[in-house]
Amino acid sequence: MKENKIKKGDYKSKTMKSYAGIILSALIFLGIILLFPERKDVIISESKKYFIEMLLIIPPVMISIGLFSVWVSKDLISKYLGKESGIKGAFISIIVGSLPMGPLYIAFPIASSLVKKGASLLNIIVFLGAWACLKIPQGLVELKFLGLKFMILRWSFSIILIILMGYIIEKIIEVKKIDIIPSIK
Amino acid sequence: MAIDFLILNVLVLLALAISFFKSKEKSKMALKIAFKSLINTAPYIIITIVIIGIMQGFIPNTLITEYLGEKSGISGVLLASLIGAILHIPAFISFPLVASLIERGASVMIGAAFITSLTMIGFTSLPLEIKEFGIKFTVLRNISSFIAAILIAIAVGVLL
């Protein structure tokens, strides 16, 4: 399908960019170390420390992203999202949104198709918010570097504010009764 | 290193094993996707590590404490949120970056502000959001996300 074609092209250019990015940053790193040999030890030891920590956390993160994306389909999202309304719907939206399915720009088409199917704005806003800032694999990295307490605090306040945001935006948009979402028609 | 990450790795491997047991095809696909996302994010990871190292070498802790520390107050939080909103980098590399800044004197509130606005607001995805939902929805959602990011940061900073 059309979508697949775009993705493939994207992937190729992304891979190219990846290599260019790695080579460029390696060159900058080497250049700086050669120019400032007296700071070499500090720079290398700090980079090494973070490199090792990343190395420990990256494989499980990537594998869980892969597993989620094959076992949790987009249909599943549509199945659960938008059925329930109110606070229950909001919580389902959070859970579904936190599953790793890709970057935010993938979420917009999914969400807008759900609006067409009748999902409430509250659910959609909560879903987009959760998709953006509460991702399960990313949470593993957050846990590793910033600790459990930071993570629990950030996640709980994010959940509260995302739901609040959903209620407020839903109120504003529904009160005005204007055709906000042109694609619905 | 930490035992919890040993457990994490074991859990993920276990999940992978179950996945293979259920469907070899799907599991291979999962590994392919894992590899793809690794390739896509590798440059960001490497660049972040390089930046962390170079910052350690050139920016003294006192400077970080002064501009990103507790003293910088609400203006520091606003600035961090703004930078986070504009930047387009994968969220998970912001965690080590922020961790290294906090370790060297930046306030937790500023770190949280950067992370939340980075994740919640996407400048680069605005056109798509407008296309799918219209301009009003997009403006409302992004502005309220920005306010939410600041509130979340303040709450995390005060309570931690």
Side-chain angles (χ1 to χ4, degrees):
Chain A
M1 269 169 40
K2 203 178 153 197
E3 206 181 315
N4 281 338
K5 250 188 206 162
I6 294 168
K7 265 187 198 156
K8 252 190 185 162
D10 257 15
Y11 174 56
K12 253 191 185 161
S13 70
K14 260 188 184 168
T15 315
M16 295 285 282
K17 270 190 210 154
S18 294
Y19 287 123
I22 290 173
I23 292 166
L24 191 70
S25 52
L27 284 177
I28 292 171
F29 192 70
L30 276 176
I32 283 178
I33 281 172
L34 288 174
L35 278 173
F36 303 92
E38 75 278 8
R39 301 180 195 229
K40 195 176 90 179
D41 292 343
V42 182
I43 295 175
I44 289 181
S45 78
E46 186 75 0
S47 289
K48 204 173 118 191
K49 187 177 116 195
Y50 278 90
F51 185 70
I52 291 170
E53 289 196 12
M54 276 308 232
L55 223 53
L56 285 173
I57 190 72
I58 286 302
V61 170
M62 295 302 165
I63 292 174
S64 58
I65 288 175
L67 285 175
F68 271 112
S69 49
V70 293
W71 290 107
V72 183
S73 67
K74 280 182 192 167
D75 299 340
L76 201 82
I77 293 182
S78 319
K79 202 174 144 195
Y80 287 101
L81 201 65
K83 265 196 180 160
E84 298 280 348
S85 54
I87 198 76
K88 198 175 167 194
F91 273 108
I92 291 172
S93 307
I94 283 184
I95 292 166
V96 175
S98 68
L99 298 173
M101 303 284 295
L104 193 58
Y105 59 78
I106 293 179
F108 291 129
I110 298 176
S112 94
S113 74
L114 288 170
V115 174
K116 284 171 211 164
K117 282 184 193 159
S120 74
L121 269 181
L122 170 68
N123 284 0
I124 294 303
I125 291 157
V126 171
F127 168 70
L128 288 174
W131 185 299
C133 75
L134 305 172
K135 277 273 173 267
I136 290 167
Q138 288 172 3
L140 301 177
V141 186
E142 182 171 7
L143 185 67
K144 167 122 190 93
F145 286 100
L146 293 165
L148 185 64
K149 207 173 162 195
F150 181 97
M151 187 180 162
I152 289 176
L153 283 172
R154 194 183 75 83
W155 280 55
S156 353
F157 283 107
S158 297
I159 290 171
I160 294 168
L161 276 152
I162 288 169
I163 294 176
L164 205 66
M165 217 169 95
Y167 272 115
I168 292 171
I169 296 179
E170 192 178 55
K171 270 263 154 60
I172 293 174
I173 289 182
E174 277 179 358
V175 162
K176 300 256 164 137
K177 287 271 179 212
I178 298 170
D179 191 9
I180 314 297
I181 299 146
S183 49
I184 302 178
K185 291 263 150 68
Chain B
M1 304 266 154
I3 189 87
D4 43 347
F5 282 87
L6 196 71
I7 295 171
L8 175 74
N9 276 282
V10 170
L11 278 179
V12 171
L13 283 179
L14 204 69
L16 190 64
I18 294 169
S19 171
F20 259 103
F21 184 70
K22 281 197 143 184
S23 159
K24 229 176 164 181
E25 192 104 320
K26 274 192 169 182
S27 308
K28 275 184 187 162
M29 188 71 193
L31 286 179
K32 228 172 142 182
I33 292 167
F35 183 69
K36 252 195 208 177
S37 45
L38 178 68
I39 293 289
N40 285 338
T41 46
Y44 291 104
I45 295 168
I46 306 262
I47 290 166
T48 309
I49 290 164
V50 167
I51 289 173
I52 288 173
I54 291 171
M55 280 197 321
Q56 179 80 19
F58 290 93
I59 303 174
N61 288 0
T62 48
L63 209 68
I64 292 177
T65 316
E66 196 182 330
Y67 287 100
L68 301 173
E70 307 284 351
K71 268 197 303 177
S72 65
I74 198 75
S75 61
V77 171
L78 277 174
L79 185 71
S81 304
L82 207 64
I83 294 172
I86 295 165
L87 278 186
H88 181 63
I89 53 173
F92 68 86
I93 64 155
S94 69
F95 299 127
L97 192 67
V98 166
S100 94
L101 286 172
I102 290 176
E103 201 175 88
R104 302 182 53 208
S107 79
V108 173
M109 203 183 277
I110 285 183
F114 178 71
I115 291 172
T116 38
S117 77
L118 179 74
T119 49
M120 284 178 89
I121 303 155
F123 259 52
T124 45
S125 57
L126 283 182
L128 185 70
E129 189 172 356
I130 292 170
K131 189 188 139 231
E132 296 284 357
F133 290 103
I135 194 135
K136 186 165 183 184
F137 178 93
T138 306
V139 169
L140 274 174
R141 203 189 71 83
N142 281 281
I143 287 179
S144 54
S145 294
F146 190 74
I147 297 167
I150 291 169
L151 293 177
I152 293 164
I154 291 172
V156 172
V158 167
L159 289 174
L160 200 75

